[in-house]
Amino acid sequence: MWLNKLSDCDVQQLKKYRLADTADSESLDYSSLLDLKKLPETLLMLTGRIGAPNACVTSSILIKRMAFYAVIHIYAMTALGKKLKTEPSKLKLIDSAQDDLWLPGFFMNPLEAEDPGENRDHWRDSIIREVFADGLTPLIYLLKEQTRLKEEVMWENIAVYVHWIFKEIEENHQLGEQAAKDRQYIFLEAPGKLFGTVHNPLTSFFQLSKKGRVTCCLSFMLRNREKKKCAACPLASRET
């Protein structure tokens, strides 16, 4: 395997999925979210920023936004054939401050790429481990501890976007076969240890695109949503 800088074309493609190429003094260090002492204050700040009624709702929205950290890596893996060599501790969330939705960009520095080498399966496992076990799962555990938000809600928030990015790749890059294999592996075959869990937390959401959501992401409780539920929300279907 070898390391290299991403090409300008690669970067432009990843920017479509919220990769940011610059950071500023207002950037939020991901490490502050993984610091038990700093997390309450950071959640309080984000609660006001996104117009959430409490930290539980904020946590759900935070994980929905953080799902794009997985999206960026999966796109690089399956569509570009590259592993992004990044460290969660150096990740920064960039707030565009242009709307109330809080759709942060992700600044990763240094940003290098590693090719699959001779063993793509091992290479793919290392990507999953670094994205989930090292990156997202620690935050999920901390948010559950802080707010009592169910892990199921947070993992489904992530699963929605994992499904979505694979569909994007299948439709736009003529990589249907590889995307289908990677999707099946991530959802059904990857062991829990790659996620930092006992069992694969995405498996129960493999049929998500066909059956619809199981849990509510709570976004209808945001100030700017005016109690409007998502079309796929299980609560909306119960009201009809």
Side-chain angles (χ1 to χ4, degrees), residues 128-135 137-138 141 151 155 191-201:
I128 297 171
R129 181 185 299 107
E130 290 174 17
V131 170
F132 293 101
D134 298 342
T137 302
Y141 284 156
E151 289 180 41
W155 281 114
K193 65 181 181 181
L194 298 182
F195 297 88
T197 58
V198 176
H199 304 291
N200 184 328

Side-chain angles (χ1 to χ4, degrees), residues 13-18 64-65 67-75 156-173 179 183 187 205-206 208-209:
Q13 290 186 64
L14 291 171
K15 286 174 71 172
K16 297 177 184 177
Y17 304 105
R18 301 184 193 166
K64 286 186 72 172
R65 303 301 184 252
F68 270 78
Y69 180 69
V71 164
I72 290 170
H73 283 271
I74 290 172
Y75 183 87
E156 186 167 22
N157 287 351
I158 292 172
V160 167
Y161 288 104
V162 174
H163 274 298
W164 172 77
I165 191 57
F166 277 123
K167 184 177 180 181
E168 284 271 304
I169 296 170
E170 290 172 7
E171 292 180 349
N172 300 318
H173 295 274
R183 185 209 297 255
F187 277 95
F205 303 114
F206 182 63
L208 183 63
S209 58

Side-chain angles (χ1 to χ4, degrees), residues 17-18 65-66 68 93-96 101-106:
Y17 304 105
R18 301 184 193 166
R65 303 301 184 252
M66 286 304 307
F68 270 78
L93 278 62
I94 314 303
D95 189 349
S96 65
L101 293 177
W102 190 62
L103 300 173
F106 296 87

Side-chain angles (χ1 to χ4, degrees), residues 52-72:
N54 54 57
C56 185
V57 175
T58 300
S59 296
S60 182
I61 302 305
L62 172 59
I63 290 297
K64 286 186 72 172
R65 303 301 184 252
M66 286 304 307
F68 270 78
Y69 180 69
V71 164
I72 290 170

Side-chain angles (χ1 to χ4, degrees), residues 4 33 38 72 83 86 101 115 155 174 201 208 211 216 234:
N4 70 328
L33 293 170
K38 296 180 180 179
I72 290 170
K83 172 186 177 181
T86 63
L101 293 177
D115 77 329
W155 281 114
Q174 298 180 340
L208 183 63
K211 296 183 178 180
C216 173

Side-chain angles (χ1 to χ4, degrees), residues 25 53 78 91 101 103 117-118 124-125 143 148 179 200 208 237:
S25 60
T78 302
L91 175 67
L101 293 177
L103 300 173
E118 297 180 359
R124 180 176 59 188
D125 278 356
L143 292 176
R148 305 304 179 193
N200 184 328
L208 183 63
S237 63

